[in-house]
Amino acid sequence: MTLAILFWIAVWQVLSVFLDNSLLIASPLSVAKRLIELAGTGQFWASIVLSLCRILLGYIIGVVGGVAFGLLGAKFSPVHLLLSPLMAVIKSAPVTSFVILALVWIKSYELSTFIAFLMVFPMVYSSAMAGLQSADPQLLEVAKVYGFSLPKTVKLIYIPALRPFLLSSLSTSIGFAWKAGITGEIFALPKPAIGTMLYNAKIYLETLDVFCWTLVIIGLSLLIEAVVKKLVRKI
């Protein structure tokens, strides 16, 4: 993995030397220096913290709502029937459409939370419902015959059935939530925010800053996914 990263950094360096135009592509060394400069400012860390808080809030709301409605949809078919068209619309429509519409309805600093929620909710909803429906009917019959209480049935049958489905969706959806949330910030331009800083860098042709904030987004995405996966495995 380390060798692969070093290889692509070398390719990046070669391209920057070949083009010899800092407006088109900045060199790795200049990006590293600029990133250190940005890290010494309060606005840099404020943008990161606030973007993380907004997007993670949307992720948490999406997870809680997805699990709750997924279980209801698996138990009561009218709930699933009612939500099916909504799930189809959310899954098929492009993120930018929701971003533009949402800008009319909600405040700019709430947009990334809302978009992150929209990305997470359908994935977790589908996984929770599929997991509950996958519970072994024979085991449920045994639980009924032996008079298992509801908490015991949930613990021994439903949770093991739900686990693999939810583990997958919780780990995967955080990446979608992060990317969609940053996209929302680029449109809404809340202050301070990572998306706003990236947009401003692009508008003012600050290529170095564009590269720096892109690296920050990628790095945070990898870190968040790793942390969430670890937490999910423990849970």
Side-chain angles (χ1 to χ4, degrees):
M1 183 66 176
T2 303
L3 289 175
I5 293 173
L6 291 175
F7 169 79
W8 288 111
I9 291 176
V11 171
W12 176 8
Q13 175 64 31
V14 169
L15 284 174
S16 67
V17 171
F18 177 76
L19 292 174
D20 194 25
N21 188 335
S22 60
L23 283 177
L24 293 178
I25 183 168
S27 69
L29 183 59
S30 59
V31 171
K33 289 180 179 178
R34 178 56 179 161
L35 192 55
I36 293 171
E37 291 176 5
L38 289 173
T41 64
Q43 189 177 34
F44 176 84
W45 295 107
S47 299
I48 289 175
V49 170
L50 288 175
S51 291
L52 278 171
C53 290
R54 294 181 189 120
I55 294 170
L56 288 177
L57 177 61
Y59 173 76
I60 292 169
I61 296 172
V63 168
V64 173
V67 170
F69 281 94
L71 298 181
L72 287 173
K75 189 69 176 176
F76 306 104
S77 55
V79 174
H80 175 58
L81 187 65
L82 188 65
L83 290 177
S84 290
L86 181 61
M87 295 298 108
V89 169
I90 294 175
K91 288 179 180 179
S92 58
V95 177
T96 50
S97 297
F98 288 116
V99 170
I100 293 169
L101 285 172
L103 279 171
V104 180
W105 307 329
I106 59 179
K107 297 175 182 177
S108 61
Y109 60 85
E110 296 172 341
L111 182 62
S112 55
T113 300
F114 176 70
I115 295 301
F117 161 78
L118 277 185
M119 293 299 103
V120 175
F121 181 77
M123 297 177 68
V124 178
Y125 169 82
S126 300
S127 296
M129 194 171 68
L132 195 63
Q133 290 175 338
S134 71
D136 192 333
Q138 293 183 344
L139 290 178
L140 291 173
E141 187 62 31
V142 169
K144 185 177 180 181
V145 169
Y146 284 94
F148 284 10
S149 63
L150 180 59
K152 190 173 183 180
T153 303
V154 169
K155 180 181 178 181
L156 297 179
I157 301 175
Y158 285 120
I159 289 180
L162 280 168
R163 186 181 291 116
F165 291 87
L166 285 181
L167 288 181
S168 176
S169 64
L170 291 177
S171 301
T172 305
S173 60
I174 184 63
F176 285 95
W178 177 250
K179 288 181 282 190
I182 296 297
T183 301
E185 288 182 344
I186 292 172
F187 278 84
L189 301 178
K191 293 182 180 180
I194 293 175
T196 303
M197 300 303 292
L198 182 62
Y199 178 83
N200 289 339
K202 178 255 182 185
I203 288 295
Y204 296 110
L205 298 177
E206 296 173 349
T207 307
L208 265 178
D209 285 14
V210 172
F211 273 84
C212 288
W213 284 110
T214 302
L215 287 177
V216 168
I217 293 168
I218 294 170
L220 287 174
S221 177
L222 295 173
L223 178 63
I224 293 168
E225 287 187 37
V227 170
V228 169
K229 285 179 181 178
K230 190 171 183 179
L231 288 174
V232 164
R233 288 193 192 104
K234 284 186 177 181
I235 293 172

